[in-house]
Amino acid sequence: MESKSDRLWTISFVNLCASQFLLYFSVYLVMPVLGLYIVDSFENGKSVVGFLLAAYTVTAMLCRPFAGYIIDTFSRKPLYLFAYVGFVSVFGSYLLIGTLTLICIVRVFQGFSFGIFTTTANTI
C-alpha cells in the first residue's frame, strides 16, 4: 500500500509547479518586447539593448553557484518565497522605469532573484 508521503501529486507539488509556470511565463512574456521598448523609448542601438538584456542572464548564471551554498545554509522554503517575492516586486518595477540605468539595475536584481528562485525550486 502506498503511503501519503510517497505520492508525487501533492498540493505542495502542484503549487510549486504553478508558481514556476507563472514565473517563467512572465519572463518569456516580457523578453521579446523589452528590446523593442528600449529601442523605441530611449532611441539606442542594438548593442545597448543586447547589453541590457544580457545583464539578466549573466547575473542569473553568476549567482547560481552561490545559490547552492545559500540553499544548503538556510531553510529552502523561506528562501524560495523570498526569491519569488523579490522577482515579482522587481518585475513590477518595470512600470516605473524611466532611464537606461534603472533598466540595468532592475535587470541585474531580476537576474539575481531568478537565479536563486530557479535553483531553490529545483532543489525543493
Side-chain angles (χ1 to χ4, degrees):
M1 181 176 223
E2 188 176 306
S3 70
K4 188 174 182 175
S5 64
D6 291 340
R7 292 179 28 213
L8 174 64
W9 292 97
T10 62
I11 194 72
S12 296
F13 180 73
V14 171
N15 287 337
L16 181 71
C17 289
S19 68
Q20 281 191 298
F21 171 77
L22 291 173
L23 184 121
Y24 283 110
F25 184 76
S26 68
V27 167
Y28 294 115
L29 190 67
V30 169
M31 188 67 72
V33 296
L34 187 59
L36 297 173
Y37 170 73
I38 293 170
V39 168
D40 289 343
S41 297
F42 301 104
E43 299 175 357
N44 283 306
K46 294 178 183 177
S47 62
V48 173
V49 173
F51 175 77
L52 292 174
L53 295 180
Y56 170 83
T57 306
V58 170
T59 306
M61 181 184 66
L62 291 176
C63 82
R64 283 194 173 127
F66 304 106
Y69 174 75
I70 293 169
I71 290 167
D72 288 339
T73 305
F74 299 105
S75 181
R76 290 184 174 122
K77 189 173 181 179
L79 186 62
Y80 172 82
L81 293 172
F82 176 75
Y84 195 82
V85 168
F87 182 88
V88 170
S89 63
V90 170
F91 189 79
S93 69
Y94 279 116
L95 299 171
L96 307 173
I97 292 176
T99 64
L100 288 175
T101 306
L102 285 176
I103 289 177
C104 187
I105 291 169
V106 165
R107 296 293 290 173
V108 167
F109 280 120
Q110 192 176 25
F112 179 75
S113 61
F114 182 80
I116 299 285
F117 172 81
T118 54
T119 307
T120 307
N122 290 332
T123 304
I124 290 176

PDB file of all heavy atoms in Angstrom, residues 24-41:
ATOM      1  N   TYR A  24       8.045  31.689 -15.158  1.00  0.00           N
ATOM      2  CA  TYR A  24       8.614  31.535 -16.488  1.00  0.00           C
ATOM      3  C   TYR A  24       7.737  32.216 -17.544  1.00  0.00           C
ATOM      4  O   TYR A  24       8.243  32.793 -18.499  1.00  0.00           O
ATOM      5  CB  TYR A  24       8.801  30.056 -16.843  1.00  0.00           C
ATOM      6  CG  TYR A  24       9.987  29.434 -16.192  1.00  0.00           C
ATOM      7  CD1 TYR A  24       9.837  28.488 -15.191  1.00  0.00           C
ATOM      8  CD2 TYR A  24      11.275  29.782 -16.567  1.00  0.00           C
ATOM      9  CE1 TYR A  24      10.930  27.902 -14.582  1.00  0.00           C
ATOM     10  CE2 TYR A  24      12.380  29.208 -15.970  1.00  0.00           C
ATOM     11  CZ  TYR A  24      12.196  28.268 -14.980  1.00  0.00           C
ATOM     12  OH  TYR A  24      13.289  27.694 -14.388  1.00  0.00           O
ATOM     13  N   PHE A  25       6.434  32.154 -17.376  1.00  0.00           N
ATOM     14  CA  PHE A  25       5.515  32.805 -18.310  1.00  0.00           C
ATOM     15  C   PHE A  25       5.749  34.313 -18.324  1.00  0.00           C
ATOM     16  O   PHE A  25       5.792  34.929 -19.384  1.00  0.00           O
ATOM     17  CB  PHE A  25       4.064  32.484 -17.920  1.00  0.00           C
ATOM     18  CG  PHE A  25       3.050  33.035 -18.871  1.00  0.00           C
ATOM     19  CD1 PHE A  25       2.843  32.429 -20.098  1.00  0.00           C
ATOM     20  CD2 PHE A  25       2.299  34.152 -18.530  1.00  0.00           C
ATOM     21  CE1 PHE A  25       1.901  32.931 -20.977  1.00  0.00           C
ATOM     22  CE2 PHE A  25       1.365  34.660 -19.410  1.00  0.00           C
ATOM     23  CZ  PHE A  25       1.164  34.045 -20.639  1.00  0.00           C
ATOM     24  N   SER A  26       5.938  34.901 -17.159  1.00  0.00           N
ATOM     25  CA  SER A  26       6.172  36.347 -17.099  1.00  0.00           C
ATOM     26  C   SER A  26       7.513  36.717 -17.721  1.00  0.00           C
ATOM     27  O   SER A  26       7.632  37.745 -18.387  1.00  0.00           O
ATOM     28  CB  SER A  26       6.096  36.846 -15.658  1.00  0.00           C
ATOM     29  OG  SER A  26       7.170  36.350 -14.887  1.00  0.00           O
ATOM     30  N   VAL A  27       8.517  35.879 -17.529  1.00  0.00           N
ATOM     31  CA  VAL A  27       9.832  36.154 -18.129  1.00  0.00           C
ATOM     32  C   VAL A  27       9.727  36.148 -19.642  1.00  0.00           C
ATOM     33  O   VAL A  27      10.189  37.071 -20.327  1.00  0.00           O
ATOM     34  CB  VAL A  27      10.882  35.112 -17.665  1.00  0.00           C
ATOM     35  CG1 VAL A  27      12.141  35.191 -18.511  1.00  0.00           C
ATOM     36  CG2 VAL A  27      11.215  35.321 -16.213  1.00  0.00           C
ATOM     37  N   TYR A  28       9.096  35.125 -20.190  1.00  0.00           N
ATOM     38  CA  TYR A  28       9.029  34.990 -21.636  1.00  0.00           C
ATOM     39  C   TYR A  28       7.945  35.868 -22.249  1.00  0.00           C
ATOM     40  O   TYR A  28       7.891  36.008 -23.475  1.00  0.00           O
ATOM     41  CB  TYR A  28       8.858  33.526 -22.023  1.00  0.00           C
ATOM     42  CG  TYR A  28      10.083  32.731 -21.662  1.00  0.00           C
ATOM     43  CD1 TYR A  28      10.047  31.724 -20.706  1.00  0.00           C
ATOM     44  CD2 TYR A  28      11.312  33.038 -22.240  1.00  0.00           C
ATOM     45  CE1 TYR A  28      11.194  31.032 -20.351  1.00  0.00           C
ATOM     46  CE2 TYR A  28      12.461  32.348 -21.897  1.00  0.00           C
ATOM     47  CZ  TYR A  28      12.381  31.348 -20.963  1.00  0.00           C
ATOM     48  OH  TYR A  28      13.526  30.668 -20.622  1.00  0.00           O
ATOM     49  N   LEU A  29       7.120  36.475 -21.449  1.00  0.00           N
ATOM     50  CA  LEU A  29       6.159  37.445 -21.936  1.00  0.00           C
ATOM     51  C   LEU A  29       6.830  38.797 -22.167  1.00  0.00           C
ATOM     52  O   LEU A  29       6.536  39.497 -23.132  1.00  0.00           O
ATOM     53  CB  LEU A  29       5.021  37.593 -20.919  1.00  0.00           C
ATOM     54  CG  LEU A  29       3.797  38.367 -21.322  1.00  0.00           C
ATOM     55  CD1 LEU A  29       3.055  37.608 -22.411  1.00  0.00           C
ATOM     56  CD2 LEU A  29       2.879  38.540 -20.119  1.00  0.00           C
ATOM     57  N   VAL A  30       7.757  39.157 -21.303  1.00  0.00           N
ATOM     58  CA  VAL A  30       8.428  40.453 -21.383  1.00  0.00           C
ATOM     59  C   VAL A  30       9.645  40.421 -22.307  1.00  0.00           C
ATOM     60  O   VAL A  30       9.948  41.413 -22.974  1.00  0.00           O
ATOM     61  CB  VAL A  30       8.839  40.917 -19.970  1.00  0.00           C
ATOM     62  CG1 VAL A  30       9.762  42.103 -20.011  1.00  0.00           C
ATOM     63  CG2 VAL A  30       7.609  41.249 -19.165  1.00  0.00           C
ATOM     64  N   MET A  31      10.333  39.301 -22.360  1.00  0.00           N
ATOM     65  CA  MET A  31      11.602  39.224 -23.093  1.00  0.00           C
ATOM     66  C   MET A  31      11.510  39.707 -24.545  1.00  0.00           C
ATOM     67  O   MET A  31      12.355  40.506 -24.968  1.00  0.00           O
ATOM     68  CB  MET A  31      12.133  37.789 -23.050  1.00  0.00           C
ATOM     69  CG  MET A  31      13.522  37.640 -23.608  1.00  0.00           C
ATOM     70  SD  MET A  31      14.794  38.445 -22.641  1.00  0.00           S
ATOM     71  CE  MET A  31      14.850  37.377 -21.231  1.00  0.00           C
ATOM     72  N   PRO A  32      10.536  39.299 -25.339  1.00  0.00           N
ATOM     73  CA  PRO A  32      10.530  39.729 -26.742  1.00  0.00           C
ATOM     74  C   PRO A  32      10.259  41.221 -26.939  1.00  0.00           C
ATOM     75  O   PRO A  32      10.743  41.820 -27.890  1.00  0.00           O
ATOM     76  CB  PRO A  32       9.416  38.913 -27.392  1.00  0.00           C
ATOM     77  CG  PRO A  32       9.048  37.874 -26.432  1.00  0.00           C
ATOM     78  CD  PRO A  32       9.496  38.314 -25.087  1.00  0.00           C
ATOM     79  N   VAL A  33       9.485  41.818 -26.060  1.00  0.00           N
ATOM     80  CA  VAL A  33       9.107  43.219 -26.263  1.00  0.00           C
ATOM     81  C   VAL A  33      10.021  44.203 -25.545  1.00  0.00           C
ATOM     82  O   VAL A  33       9.994  45.396 -25.853  1.00  0.00           O
ATOM     83  CB  VAL A  33       7.637  43.460 -25.846  1.00  0.00           C
ATOM     84  CG1 VAL A  33       6.698  42.670 -26.720  1.00  0.00           C
ATOM     85  CG2 VAL A  33       7.421  43.152 -24.391  1.00  0.00           C
ATOM     86  N   LEU A  34      10.820  43.746 -24.608  1.00  0.00           N
ATOM     87  CA  LEU A  34      11.669  44.665 -23.862  1.00  0.00           C
ATOM     88  C   LEU A  34      12.711  45.318 -24.759  1.00  0.00           C
ATOM     89  O   LEU A  34      12.959  46.525 -24.660  1.00  0.00           O
ATOM     90  CB  LEU A  34      12.344  43.954 -22.686  1.00  0.00           C
ATOM     91  CG  LEU A  34      13.128  44.850 -21.744  1.00  0.00           C
ATOM     92  CD1 LEU A  34      12.222  45.910 -21.132  1.00  0.00           C
ATOM     93  CD2 LEU A  34      13.775  44.024 -20.656  1.00  0.00           C
ATOM     94  N   GLY A  35      13.309  44.570 -25.649  1.00  0.00           N
ATOM     95  CA  GLY A  35      14.277  45.142 -26.575  1.00  0.00           C
ATOM     96  C   GLY A  35      13.654  46.197 -27.472  1.00  0.00           C
ATOM     97  O   GLY A  35      14.228  47.266 -27.703  1.00  0.00           O
ATOM     98  N   LEU A  36      12.459  45.920 -27.970  1.00  0.00           N
ATOM     99  CA  LEU A  36      11.756  46.894 -28.811  1.00  0.00           C
ATOM    100  C   LEU A  36      11.397  48.146 -28.018  1.00  0.00           C
ATOM    101  O   LEU A  36      11.483  49.264 -28.532  1.00  0.00           O
ATOM    102  CB  LEU A  36      10.489  46.269 -29.401  1.00  0.00           C
ATOM    103  CG  LEU A  36      10.715  45.083 -30.324  1.00  0.00           C
ATOM    104  CD1 LEU A  36       9.391  44.438 -30.704  1.00  0.00           C
ATOM    105  CD2 LEU A  36      11.484  45.513 -31.554  1.00  0.00           C
ATOM    106  N   TYR A  37      11.013  47.946 -26.762  1.00  0.00           N
ATOM    107  CA  TYR A  37      10.679  49.084 -25.908  1.00  0.00           C
ATOM    108  C   TYR A  37      11.900  49.969 -25.663  1.00  0.00           C
ATOM    109  O   TYR A  37      11.807  51.200 -25.722  1.00  0.00           O
ATOM    110  CB  TYR A  37      10.126  48.577 -24.574  1.00  0.00           C
ATOM    111  CG  TYR A  37       9.973  49.657 -23.531  1.00  0.00           C
ATOM    112  CD1 TYR A  37       8.964  50.600 -23.625  1.00  0.00           C
ATOM    113  CD2 TYR A  37      10.865  49.751 -22.466  1.00  0.00           C
ATOM    114  CE1 TYR A  37       8.826  51.601 -22.674  1.00  0.00           C
ATOM    115  CE2 TYR A  37      10.743  50.744 -21.515  1.00  0.00           C
ATOM    116  CZ  TYR A  37       9.712  51.665 -21.623  1.00  0.00           C
ATOM    117  OH  TYR A  37       9.602  52.658 -20.692  1.00  0.00           O
ATOM    118  N   ILE A  38      13.045  49.359 -25.435  1.00  0.00           N
ATOM    119  CA  ILE A  38      14.277  50.129 -25.198  1.00  0.00           C
ATOM    120  C   ILE A  38      14.666  50.906 -26.452  1.00  0.00           C
ATOM    121  O   ILE A  38      15.038  52.083 -26.372  1.00  0.00           O
ATOM    122  CB  ILE A  38      15.410  49.198 -24.738  1.00  0.00           C
ATOM    123  CG1 ILE A  38      15.092  48.625 -23.363  1.00  0.00           C
ATOM    124  CG2 ILE A  38      16.739  49.932 -24.708  1.00  0.00           C
ATOM    125  CD1 ILE A  38      16.016  47.515 -22.922  1.00  0.00           C
ATOM    126  N   VAL A  39      14.566  50.284 -27.608  1.00  0.00           N
ATOM    127  CA  VAL A  39      14.917  50.968 -28.858  1.00  0.00           C
ATOM    128  C   VAL A  39      13.962  52.126 -29.121  1.00  0.00           C
ATOM    129  O   VAL A  39      14.383  53.235 -29.459  1.00  0.00           O
ATOM    130  CB  VAL A  39      14.916  49.968 -30.036  1.00  0.00           C
ATOM    131  CG1 VAL A  39      14.994  50.696 -31.368  1.00  0.00           C
ATOM    132  CG2 VAL A  39      16.060  48.991 -29.903  1.00  0.00           C
ATOM    133  N   ASP A  40      12.672  51.901 -28.956  1.00  0.00           N
ATOM    134  CA  ASP A  40      11.684  52.941 -29.256  1.00  0.00           C
ATOM    135  C   ASP A  40      11.673  54.063 -28.232  1.00  0.00           C
ATOM    136  O   ASP A  40      11.575  55.228 -28.588  1.00  0.00           O
ATOM    137  CB  ASP A  40      10.281  52.328 -29.343  1.00  0.00           C
ATOM    138  CG  ASP A  40      10.099  51.466 -30.576  1.00  0.00           C
ATOM    139  OD1 ASP A  40      10.922  51.589 -31.511  1.00  0.00           O
ATOM    140  OD2 ASP A  40       9.143  50.670 -30.602  1.00  0.00           O
ATOM    141  N   SER A  41      11.782  53.741 -26.958  1.00  0.00           N
ATOM    142  CA  SER A  41      11.652  54.755 -25.917  1.00  0.00           C
ATOM    143  C   SER A  41      12.936  55.544 -25.684  1.00  0.00           C
ATOM    144  O   SER A  41      12.887  56.735 -25.383  1.00  0.00           O
ATOM    145  CB  SER A  41      11.225  54.113 -24.600  1.00  0.00           C
ATOM    146  OG  SER A  41       9.959  53.538 -24.739  1.00  0.00           O
TER     147      SER A  41
END
